[in-house]
Amino acid sequence: MAANYWSSTQRQFWTFSKQEIAEMRENLDKSEGSLSQQYPLPENRLLNIYFHQQLVKLGKRLIVRQQVLATAQVYLKRYFLKVPVRRTNPYIIIATAFYLACKMEECPQHIRLVMVEARNTWPEMPNAEAPRLGECEFGLISELNSQLIVHHPYRTLQDLGPKFSLSQDETSLSSSIINDHYLTDLPLLYPPHVVAITAIFLSLVLRPNQVSLQSHSSHPAGLSTSVSAAAVAGALQNLGAANRGAGAVSQGHVKEPQAKVARLVQWLAESEVDVAAMVDCIQEIVSLYEKWDQYQDKVCKEQIGRYVKARELDK
């Protein structure tokens, strides 16, 4: 087992550039031939949202920790970089990723129970016995090259929370942003600590600009895109100051947590954290929330169900 991220298989084999990810997906599309035109699927980020919501449904039935769902989402991202979605029944792949993640995060669920709850959750789930899930587990492990340990940003958040005197609400919002980042390609692009620090930064900069942070149906973190543009402009300006080695935070867009933001920006200026990567993380997360406004669960379900039934993948 890797003692830390820097010596892990996650860093060595499962961290890519945006260009590399785009090329892998393009090759997958080409390998599908006419299937991609015959059975169109939602844009990748919308598909990520749909898969996330299906995992949450199964997780609620079996009452598991958030980290299990996070690990399962990373497995899905890695798997679908190597295997075209249209060649699978995604529901059994989601159930398999969930089952394997439960094992790896040391809260195992019985294979029959997972299969039963998966069938109750999704009518499109193959009508098969538990051994089918076991076979899929071996296939998933093979595609992941048996590299199953996933390092998450939650530990960094836990370690840095006291350092920056985060309140319970700020810690909760940071955790929600981390949860949401699994719906993007960020787990395949950047180290976990970069994501965690980005989440802390956003929680401090964006929170004062929210009229209400009550989570709503579309954005689990409760960040409204209507206020994100102005707040993010200020966030990027602050990060620019840190990148130039300036410790001062710009005035005018933060009030109450100004001291916390200033402390974080000063710390970033003195640290070796990749600020350019943080800027990209901010843009990706805000872009996710903007895309979320276009999400329609019914459309995603219908498009997936169309090819699953046509190709008899529900048998």
Side-chain angles (χ1 to χ4, degrees), residues 121-164:
T121 304
W122 310 302
E124 300 86 353
M125 186 76 177
N127 187 20
E129 299 301 321
R132 175 74 178 276
L133 192 63
E135 293 173 8
C136 290
E137 181 189 11
F138 283 115
L140 179 61
I141 292 172
S142 176
E143 292 294 346
L144 300 183
N145 300 322
S146 300
Q147 296 159 349
L148 304 177
I149 297 173
V150 179
H151 294 263
H152 296 286
Y154 301 110
R155 179 174 293 180
T156 301
L157 173 61
Q158 185 177 6
D159 291 343
L160 292 181
K163 180 179 182 66
F164 298 114

Side-chain angles (χ1 to χ4, degrees), residues 46 49 216 218-219 223-226 286-296:
L46 297 177
I49 295 171
H216 47 85
S218 59
H219 305 160
L223 297 177
S224 171
T225 56
S226 63
V286 172
S287 177
L288 168 69
Y289 294 142
E290 291 172 346
K291 180 62 68 172
W292 217 315
D293 290 333
Q294 304 172 21
Y295 174 72
Q296 292 181 303

Side-chain angles (χ1 to χ4, degrees), residues 29-30 32-41 86:
D29 286 340
K30 289 180 180 177
E32 290 193 282
S34 61
L35 284 177
S36 56
Q37 285 78 38
Q38 190 174 0
Y39 303 110
L41 287 176
R86 295 177 187 85

